[in-house]
Amino acid sequence: MEELPNGFTGFNRRGPGFTSAGDAMRKARRSAEMGRDETHYRESGRKAAQHGWQLPREKLIVGEQRRGMGPQTDPTDMKRYLRVPDVLAGEFGPVYDMQALAEIPEYDRRWSWVEISLSAIRHNTMTVKNSLQPGVRLMAVVKADAYGHGAVQCARTMLNSGAEQLGVATVDEGIELREAGIQAPILILSEPPISAIPLLLAHKLLPSVYTVEFAVRYAEAADSIDQRAPYHLKVNTGMNRIGVHYSEVTEFLRQVSFHRALDLVGTFTHFATADEQDTMEIERANNRFLTALDAMEAVGIDPGIVHSSNSAATTRFPQLQYDMVRVGLSLYGYYSTPEMFGMIDLIPAMSVHARITDVKNVPLGEGVSYFLTYRSGGYAKVCTVPIGYADGLRFGLSNKIDFVMEGRQHPQVGNICMDQCMFEVSQRTRGASFEHLDPQIGDEVLIVGAQGDAFATIDQMAEVLGSMSYEVCIGFGNGRMPRVYV
Ligand SMILES: *Cc1c(COP(=O)(O)O)cnc(C)c1O
């Protein structure tokens, strides 16, 4: 038996070839779900296209034209970027106008960017809000910079379209929203370190609480400056991530009840299986939550705002909405499970764009990109776009996805590099007739987006990667590419 440095023995570590019953079940389920994969992303692509989530083909447009300065303006007219006329600068050389230089947009410095449709965010928020049971409040979850869509911009749009509260993961995410002037209640969805308590009080951020020590230190800190210490109690009903065990909730409250500054303003749990087809586990978790709420009622404690549901649970189980729901993914326009397609109408808010930086004919049999994993079939034009795995276009997608240009899907070919990758425009292009396609440097390509019947979706990439839409959109949005709001 292997001795591990922390004193644990390795006895429960799996040997090679070990398959638990759970693993076998998961594997079976995964392969059953495989049959649905194609429908899953085709459906979200179709929905995107239906909602006019498309772009006309654009020829090269430089920043001056985008900014309405007219096509005649020369982007390299250097006179506009100098502070003093050249003759006066003399022997020290030109003095640049840093402000004028800063006005050259990021998407004209490198040809890849992310567009976020705030009207899609608005549509999704109103749709979710209208689907709720009467009187149920909507907390918009904007953690991880709004899943890569930009926390401040999204939070403002969501609050203007029916959301009442905001949920974040970290204290700094809460502070960012406060510093942008947002006044709505902000819940931190986990318990921060005790050392962050002064920040909670100063910025009026609500913590989720599940340890006695945090509760007491928080209350004492608030009391010392004559403030209240409002919080939401997190209940563990079986996910076993964080929370007071559902059977110990009244005992926990008894232990902290001596402190007069504490205000229990909400009680909540989080389900581990809200998007799973089988509903047995979520029913079990909800029964545990009800047990905890009943126990609180029995000793006369008001649980405040009761909430349990994320996106999937909100739409799939309206009876679990309680007083409020915490919705993230749906507001950005992604479906947690294919089952939700018929239940709610969402529009993906993120599209990813690039412009062609190189075009070449690659003769039959020649390879493309590192390790030459792709070989040209001839008669193909290989185009390069400046987006790679450092921008969220994950290496695991290499040779397995299509991009969209001129209303057609074009296969990405060769290994995806850190900052660039290639795609092929040829007769094997999906949906192409034998019409001539003539890609040029500067032409716009959709890495994620829809145009006519052609689409490339985040859901599709998530399927290829064995990941989830959450991770893929965060990868694009929170990486190196500029975000543009449209
Ligand atoms: C992230 C999160 C949510 C939102 O989940 P979605 O599936 O994106 O709707 C809700 N509750 C908690 C506790 C979370 O961490």
Side-chain angles (χ1 to χ4, degrees):
M1 202 173 294
E2 189 187 348
E3 279 293 332
L4 300 177
N6 56 7
F8 285 91
T9 52
F11 67 89
N12 60 356
R13 296 210 309 183
R14 295 165 182 190
F18 177 88
T19 310
S20 71
D23 279 347
M25 268 159 53
R26 271 187 288 279
K27 198 167 162 213
R29 186 160 55 231
R30 178 143 305 216
S31 51
E33 276 169 2
M34 284 308 212
R36 301 203 308 261
D37 291 352
E38 183 85 354
T39 357
H40 189 161
Y41 65 74
R42 292 219 156 265
E43 191 59 26
S44 70
R46 216 179 337 269
K47 281 194 182 268
Q50 252 169 30
H51 283 285
W53 184 60
Q54 14 182 310
L55 287 160
R57 175 181 164 87
E58 273 183 69
K59 279 290 177 189
L60 176 61
I61 296 185
V62 295
E64 299 300 330
Q65 280 167 276
R66 279 179 189 268
R67 284 179 284 160
M69 287 177 165
Q72 290 84 1
T73 333
D74 173 6
T76 57
D77 173 9
M78 291 309 293
K79 281 198 286 299
R80 224 154 359 101
Y81 299 103
L82 296 181
R83 280 239 306 252
V84 269
D86 242 0
V87 277
L88 298 181
E91 63 186 279
F92 301 109
V95 180
Y96 292 101
D97 181 343
M98 292 303 160
Q99 191 131 25
L101 287 168
E103 277 169 25
I104 300 173
E106 283 169 294
Y107 49 73
D108 282 332
R109 300 172 183 211
R110 178 178 182 236
W111 275 340
S112 51
W113 69 98
V114 175
E115 285 185 12
I116 307 294
S117 161
L118 291 176
S119 59
I121 300 264
R122 188 173 308 117
H123 165 94
N124 297 331
T125 309
M126 288 166 60
T127 303
V128 169
K129 177 71 181 177
N130 291 335
S131 77
L132 300 180
Q133 306 284 98
V136 174
R137 277 179 262 197
L138 174 60
M139 170 183 284
V141 177
V142 293
K143 62 194 181 192
D145 211 6
Y147 297 31
H149 295 65
V152 171
Q153 304 266 10
C154 289
R156 283 203 185 112
T157 305
M158 290 163 179
L159 290 169
N160 285 332
S161 329
E164 283 103 341
Q165 306 210 2
L166 299 170
V168 296
T170 70
V171 174
D172 281 339
E173 288 175 356
I175 293 174
E176 185 193 358
L177 297 170
R178 287 287 182 249
E179 285 180 344
I182 290 169
Q183 312 260 319
I186 299 175
L187 177 66
I188 297 166
L189 295 164
S190 58
E191 192 181 89
I194 285 171
S195 42
I197 286 173
L199 294 166
L200 300 179
L201 291 166
H203 294 282
K204 299 202 181 331
L205 303 172
L206 292 160
S208 299
V209 175
Y210 53 89
T211 70
V212 171
E213 188 181 7
F214 183 93
V216 170
R217 298 288 294 273
Y218 179 46
E220 283 169 353
D223 208 26
S224 72
I225 51 166
D226 291 328
Q227 295 290 302
R228 308 294 304 165
Y231 72 102
H232 286 231
L233 173 68
K234 179 69 189 279
V235 183
N236 174 12
T237 56
M239 180 158 172
N240 293 315
R241 183 169 65 177
I242 51 171
V244 177
H245 192 260
Y246 70 97
S247 66
E248 291 161 7
V249 163
T250 49
E251 173 58 18
F252 173 86
L253 291 167
R254 196 188 57 71
Q255 286 181 44
V256 302
S257 65
F258 70 94
H259 221 298
R260 57 186 177 163
L262 278 178
D263 278 335
L264 178 62
V265 298
T267 300
F268 75 108
T269 191
H270 189 57
F271 299 126
T273 63
D275 27 28
E276 208 165 75
Q277 228 176 2
D278 190 282
T279 59
M280 188 183 76
E281 288 290 353
I282 193 168
E283 282 170 43
R284 190 213 303 261
N286 185 55
N287 286 334
R288 290 170 166 180
F289 191 42
L290 288 171
T291 304
L293 293 169
D294 287 346
M296 288 167 76
E297 198 189 332
V299 295
I301 294 169
D302 179 357
I305 302 169
V306 175
H307 48 115
S308 70
S309 293
N310 66 353
S311 294
T314 297
T315 299
R316 294 180 68 213
F317 311 106
Q319 69 278 22
L320 304 187
Q321 290 175 0
Y322 294 98
D323 302 326
M324 181 165 77
V325 292
R326 305 182 305 269
V327 178
L329 200 68
S330 289
L331 303 188
Y332 305 103
Y334 309 104
Y335 290 85
S336 312
T337 94
E339 192 187 326
M340 283 165 63
F341 283 133
M343 304 172 102
I344 190 160
D345 180 41
L346 304 171
I347 312 172
M350 178 183 285
S351 52
V352 180
H353 305 243
R355 289 184 189 281
I356 295 174
T357 51
D358 193 18
V359 181
K360 69 213 74 70
N361 287 306
V362 177
L364 176 71
E366 281 220 13
V368 173
S369 194
Y370 288 121
F371 306 113
L372 308 176
T373 54
Y374 175 76
R375 297 273 168 183
S376 171
Y379 303 106
K381 287 213 164 117
V382 171
C383 307
T384 304
V385 276
I387 177 171
Y389 55 79
D391 304 294
L393 188 67
R394 299 255 309 267
F395 182 81
L397 298 169
S398 297
N399 291 305
K400 293 180 179 156
I401 50 170
D402 291 342
F403 297 155
V404 173
M405 196 176 64
E406 289 208 73
R408 299 209 179 107
Q409 287 173 216
H410 306 269
Q412 188 279 320
V413 298
N415 282 344
I416 294 170
C417 314
M418 189 185 289
D419 318 300
Q420 311 182 67
C421 68
M422 277 63 89
F423 69 98
E424 190 183 75
V425 174
S426 75
Q427 291 174 0
R428 95 185 176 99
T429 294
R430 200 174 287 172
S433 57
F434 288 101
E435 223 174 285
H436 189 56
L437 283 175
D438 187 23
Q440 301 289 329
I441 289 180
D443 285 356
E444 185 166 332
V445 183
L446 292 172
I447 310 302
V448 172
Q451 213 176 45
D453 294 330
F455 43 78
T457 70
I458 288 199
D459 286 331
Q460 178 181 4
M461 292 178 179
E463 293 288 353
V464 168
L465 292 164
S467 174
M468 300 158 303
S469 47
Y470 299 82
E471 194 186 29
V472 178
C473 65
I474 283 172
F476 285 125
N478 291 353
R480 184 169 58 178
M481 287 185 287
R483 270 191 307 240
V484 179
Y485 291 88
V486 293

